[in-house]
Amino acid sequence: MVGAHYLNRALPLLLSLVCLASNATDVEQVSQKPLLPSAVLKSSAAHHPQIQAAIARAIQAAGQTESAQGAFDTNVSATNRARLSGTWDGRFSDWQASRQLRSFGAQVYGKYRLSGGSFPIYEDEYFTNEAGELKLGVLVSLLKDRSIDAQRFATADAMLAEQQAELDTLLVQISVQRRALIAYWRWLTKGRQVEVYQGLLEIARDRESGLQTKVKQGARAAIELVENRRNIIRREELVTT
């Protein structure tokens, strides 16, 4: 039977969802309640491997977006130089902070340099005044990297990948939950059919005992008893399949 064949394929999915929907401590409580479509949807959304894998891919894509946006964070660096011994006792410190902007490939930066002591003539670049030197500036791309650069492209590409992953998650969830509901309703329908077949089987068995008495009394033909036995066998097959 087509319905039975489909049910045999769909039941493992449905049964796995039912098992995942209940914890070990709640088995008795769940068994006393009817399985509702809302429970099937909730269980599939929370536990089905395909949905969980899609959610993991979406989280990974979100992490890649955050990583790409890190190119526009403020970068801070520092350099310190000092001699422990020797003729020269020069000391030098350099602090820098910079940040890439999203517009026009621009970059803002600030630098502060401070030195002390004496340096050899070939290290004159380390000399600063007593209060140090402060430099602030803005770099703007006039042609190259003005409209797009590697950082902005990577960010836009990561954001598109994140949106695609979110859409894929939604499509996977819809597909899985659709199949889960189909399996649920077919399983429920099959259960109702089994109840009907069991009722018909009981009717046929009750009729058999009455027919046997009437056949013995000669009120009914023996062929009716044979026909009823055939109905019983047929209905037993429907119940078991």
Side-chain angles (χ1 to χ4, degrees):
M1 297 173 61
V2 177
H5 176 69
Y6 181 89
L7 186 64
N8 291 333
R9 296 177 56 189
L11 272 179
L13 171 64
L14 183 61
L15 293 176
S16 63
L17 295 176
V18 175
C19 292
L20 291 171
S22 59
N23 295 324
T25 58
D26 299 330
V27 172
E28 182 178 355
Q29 180 180 2
V30 172
S31 62
Q32 296 175 356
K33 295 181 179 180
L35 178 62
L36 300 177
S38 58
V40 175
L41 293 176
K42 182 178 179 181
S43 176
S44 63
H47 301 288
H48 197 277
Q50 291 182 2
I51 295 179
Q52 291 302 303
I55 292 175
R57 289 192 294 269
I59 294 174
Q60 181 182 10
Q64 291 176 348
T65 299
E66 186 174 355
S67 176
Q69 291 176 342
F72 299 96
D73 291 342
T74 301
N75 296 315
V76 179
S77 62
T79 302
N80 294 283
R81 295 170 58 91
R83 287 183 170 87
L84 299 178
S85 62
T87 304
W88 313 100
D89 62 348
R91 302 175 306 279
F92 174 78
S93 296
D94 181 5
W95 296 275
Q96 301 183 32
S98 63
R99 182 166 185 168
Q100 187 80 17
L101 303 181
R102 297 179 185 272
S103 302
F104 307 111
Q107 181 183 13
V108 295
Y109 67 91
K111 296 181 180 180
Y112 179 71
R113 303 169 68 244
L114 178 64
S115 66
S118 58
F119 293 88
I121 190 171
Y122 52 82
E123 293 183 355
D124 283 347
E125 69 273 13
Y126 295 128
F127 280 112
T128 65
N129 54 35
E130 294 182 357
E133 298 176 358
L134 177 64
K135 182 185 295 184
L136 300 175
V138 178
L139 299 176
V140 179
S141 299
L142 298 178
L143 294 176
K144 182 181 178 181
D145 296 335
R146 179 179 176 84
S147 299
I148 190 67
D149 55 21
Q151 292 81 4
R152 283 178 285 174
F153 175 81
T155 301
D157 185 62
M159 292 177 66
L160 290 175
E162 181 181 359
Q163 294 175 3
Q164 181 64 45
E166 292 176 353
L167 179 59
D168 291 343
T169 301
L170 179 60
L171 293 176
V172 169
Q173 183 175 357
I174 292 174
S175 176
V176 169
Q177 294 190 323
R178 173 180 175 274
R179 288 186 284 113
L181 284 179
I182 290 175
Y184 169 81
W185 289 115
R186 289 189 178 274
W187 169 75
L188 191 63
T189 301
K190 190 65 176 178
R192 293 293 184 266
Q193 289 179 348
V194 170
E195 290 179 0
V196 172
Y197 293 149
Q198 286 176 339
L200 294 175
L201 178 59
E202 292 300 324
I203 292 174
R205 286 174 176 172
D206 293 340
R207 186 169 182 267
E208 182 180 29
S209 60
L211 283 175
Q212 287 176 347
T213 302
K214 291 183 178 181
V215 168
K216 289 180 180 180
Q217 296 174 352
R220 292 293 182 90
I223 190 62
E224 294 187 22
L225 189 60
V226 175
E227 182 67 20
N228 189 71
R229 170 52 57 181
R230 190 180 67 84
N231 289 334
I232 291 176
I233 295 174
R234 174 56 180 164
R235 291 170 186 180
E236 286 176 345
E237 291 178 353
L238 293 174
V239 170
T240 56
T241 58

